[in-house]
Amino acid sequence: LTIASAGYLMFGVDCQEEITLNLGHSLVSQLAVWVVVINPITKFALDMAPICLGVEGVFFDSFRMKRDGAAANLISIILRTTVALCAVLVVFAVPSFSVMMGIMGSICSFTIAVTFPCACFLRLKW
């Protein structure tokens, strides 16, 4: 809230609602806009990777299959695509999913940023 107030005091009513609209049209500004656009796409793939590895592990272990070869690669592609589509379906099926994920993200961020370092400090010092 303090940073938002300072920004309003510095720029007044000329400030746009989104930060990317305030950047202008220079090459550096366009690069910054594209970084903002690409960031969620890469986060989705990085967040889904452990889930997909777990699903693949259960699948290959339950059917006693080898994890190398063309057939295993094809199965991995199919499983990863299915998991991604299931995630997209959950987003469309659950109303206010973005609000719920925002709350969960802020809770996890607080836990990681405050509680986890304190717990590590206590574990190391006691």
Side-chain angles (χ1 to χ4, degrees):
L1 189 59
T2 304
I3 294 174
S5 300
Y8 182 75
L9 290 174
M10 286 177 13
F11 299 109
V13 294
D14 294 333
C15 188
Q16 300 289 329
E17 291 182 11
E18 293 183 29
I19 188 69
T20 57
L21 296 175
N22 294 323
L23 294 177
H25 298 289
S26 68
L27 180 64
V28 175
S29 299
Q30 293 300 314
L31 180 66
V33 169
W34 279 107
V35 167
V36 169
V37 169
I38 292 173
N39 187 22
I41 297 169
T42 58
K43 278 187 172 183
F44 181 76
L46 288 173
D47 289 342
M48 294 301 286
I51 298 169
C52 292
L53 286 173
V55 170
E56 288 174 7
V58 168
F59 183 84
F60 286 128
D61 290 344
S62 63
F63 290 108
R64 293 186 177 91
M65 294 179 62
K66 293 181 181 177
R67 295 175 193 230
D68 56 347
N73 287 339
L74 181 63
I75 291 171
S76 292
I77 291 171
I78 291 170
L79 288 174
R80 288 173 181 260
T81 304
T82 304
V83 169
L85 288 176
C86 287
V88 171
L89 288 175
V90 167
V91 169
F92 285 125
V94 177
S96 302
F97 185 75
S98 62
V99 174
M100 183 178 69
M101 292 309 295
I103 292 170
M104 286 178 56
S106 64
I107 290 170
C108 291
S109 294
F110 178 79
T111 302
I112 291 171
V114 176
T115 310
F116 187 68
C118 292
C120 290
F121 176 78
L122 289 175
R123 177 74 176 132
L124 288 172
K125 296 298 178 182
W126 277 7

